[in-house]
């Protein structure tokens, strides 16, 4: 694990396997954020956490606390390769094709034990999708596997599982038991073929056809890949399921989802969440799912979530607003996006999603958002909808709110 500099102090990324954190681990993170950092913890759009404001001299203490809590990599120097995205409902959703968590464990073990894979970029990411009703399907991955049935996965490169006929189809399919071997062959193929400046699969695909990559992969396997998934489309995910109460495979317990306002928690809120459930999962929407909540405790847990200012329904302003770190923590930002988003929250119309970005890198939104406010100066934004050109320039938050209200009325 390592700590990188940011405007508000050191930044420590905690990669969570499948986004999961036990209550005991959450308490360790909260204590460590207070003792070694600013006390603020960000939820990321890769279902991880980041402790912010790490003080100079406190780095080793912080890393020791996290490793002792089981939040470090399985082998030294393998932290950066632990990028495997699962549904927040993996292993829990009774409607999924299968429980992918054992397969995810095998893939994570392999990623961390194969020393050659440490040459992959820390951003190189895989997705393992069990067909859960809630999954982030518009967040591109270097490699994705998606369950077609309980014993077969389609896979593709540099994108997402297709949900519509116009989307790029799956490259091929593979039996569930062969997924680790195919993943290994795909990652080694990338390392075999990529030029030094090509760090992501989409870059490799600019110089090699998907078929050429697949041929190289096939050469590493002792079984035949099936090219029978061209017409397969993944059922759409319902992002609203990240809110509210949902059944789990294990009877008698449920999971409860809520949105963390602007993806930022303070240590006491994380500690309070740990008191509500034995484990939780962070989601790619920068929200949290409390798991294994006894049915009898649902009502009180929801009341507590509301008291903690988490959004428990999809229509609340903070369920529809995202903002990047902004100028408080990022030198690239033209504005304090989080403070501006707080101001906008009180002015938001009743529908529509808004993303505030401090610069064009758009770190906070890997998925589609109705309206993007791109900072151009402190408190000033260009407003984009679907077109590459802004529909309004250099506007204030109040002007943006008025534009949003008008567009809602016109719609
Ligand atoms: S979008 Fe830009 S300003 Fe915002 S956190 Fe990312 S790099 Fe910084």
């Amino acid at each position: 694990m390592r700590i990188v500099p940011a405007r508000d102090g050191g930044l420590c990324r905690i990669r969570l396997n499948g986004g999961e954190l036990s209550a005991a681990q959450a308490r360790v993170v909260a204590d460590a954020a207070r003792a070694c950092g600013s006390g603020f913890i960000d939820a990321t759009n890769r279902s991880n956490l980041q402790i912010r404001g790490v003080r100079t001299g406190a780095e080793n203490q912080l890393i020791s606390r996290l490793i002792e809590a089981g939040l470090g990599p399985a082998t030294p120097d393998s932290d950066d390769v632990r990028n495997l995205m699962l549904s927040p409902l993996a292993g829990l959703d009774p409607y999924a094709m299968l429980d992918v968590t054992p397969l995810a464990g095998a893939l994570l073990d392999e990623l961390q034990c194969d020393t050659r894979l440490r040459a992959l970029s820390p951003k190189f990411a895989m997705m393992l999708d069990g067909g859960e009703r809630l999954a982030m399907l518009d967040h591109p991955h270097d490699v994705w596997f998606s369950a077609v049935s309980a014993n077969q996965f389609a896979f593709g490169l540099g994108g997402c599982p297709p949900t519509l006929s116009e989307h790029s189809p799956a490259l091929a399919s593979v039996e569930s038991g062969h997924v680790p071997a195919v993943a290994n062959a795909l990652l080694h193929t990338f390392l075999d073929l990529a030029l030094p400046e090509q760090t992501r699969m989409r870059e490799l695909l600019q110089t090699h056809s998907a078929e050429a990559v697949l041929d190289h992969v096939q050469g590493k396997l002792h079984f035949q890949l099936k090219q029978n998934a061209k017409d397969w489309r993944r059922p759409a995910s319902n992002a609203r399921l990240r809110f509210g109460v949902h059944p789990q495979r294990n009877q008698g317990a449920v999971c409860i989802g809520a949105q963390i306002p602007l993806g930022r928690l303070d240590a006491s809120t994380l500690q309070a969440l740990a008191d509500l459930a034995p484990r939780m999962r962070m989601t790619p929407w920068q929200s949290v799912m409390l798991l294994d909540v006894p049915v009898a405790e649902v009502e009180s847990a929801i009341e507590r979530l509301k008291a903690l200012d988490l959004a428990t329904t999809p229509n609340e302003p903070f369920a529809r607003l995202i903002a990047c770190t902004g100028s408080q923590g990022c030198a690239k930002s033209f504005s304090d996006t989080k403070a501006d988003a707080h101001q906008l929250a009180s002015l938001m119309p009743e529908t529509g999603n808004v993303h505030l970005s401090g610069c064009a890198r758009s770190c906070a939104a890997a998925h589609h958002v109705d309206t993007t406010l791109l900072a151009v100066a402190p408190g000033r934004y260009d407003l984009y909808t679907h077109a590459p050109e802004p529909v309004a320039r250099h506007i204030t938050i109040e002007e943006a709110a008025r534009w949003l209200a008008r567009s809602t009325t016109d719609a």
Side-chain angles (χ1 to χ4, degrees), residues 273-298:
L273 292 177
D275 294 339
L276 295 178
R279 58 186 176 127
M280 65 186 83
R281 284 191 190 153
M282 298 297 144
T283 83
W285 291 271
Q286 296 171 288
S287 68
V288 63
M289 303 226 52
L290 302 177
L291 310 186
D292 303 338
V293 180
V295 172
E297 292 172 22
V298 165

Side-chain angles (χ1 to χ4, degrees), residues 324-326 330 332-334 357-364:
C324 74
T325 304
C330 176
K332 292 190 175 69
S333 186
F334 289 99
S357 190
C359 80
R361 285 182 69 176
S362 195
C363 300

Side-chain angles (χ1 to χ4, degrees), residues 4 33 69 119 131 144 177 192 205 237 252-253 288 292-293 297 319 326 328 333 339 351 358 374 377 383 394 397-398:
V4 296
W144 59 262
D192 291 346
L205 293 173
S237 157
V288 63
D292 303 338
V293 180
E297 292 172 22
Q328 281 188 20
S333 186
T351 57
L374 178 63
L383 188 153
H394 219 265
I397 290 297
E398 289 90 346

Side-chain angles (χ1 to χ4, degrees), residues 226-254:
K226 296 179 196 146
Q227 300 201 23
N228 59 352
K230 293 260 184 290
D231 296 327
W232 171 80
R233 293 294 178 271
R234 201 245 190 232
S237 157
N238 180 0
R240 292 167 78 93
L241 292 178
R242 70 185 191 273
F243 298 96
V245 182
H246 304 288
Q248 290 185 191
R249 276 174 186 246
N250 48 333
Q251 301 289 319
V254 294

Side-chain angles (χ1 to χ4, degrees), residues 98-110:
L98 77 166
D99 174 358
V100 293
T101 54
L103 192 48
L107 286 173
L108 280 166
D109 283 348
E110 185 164 314

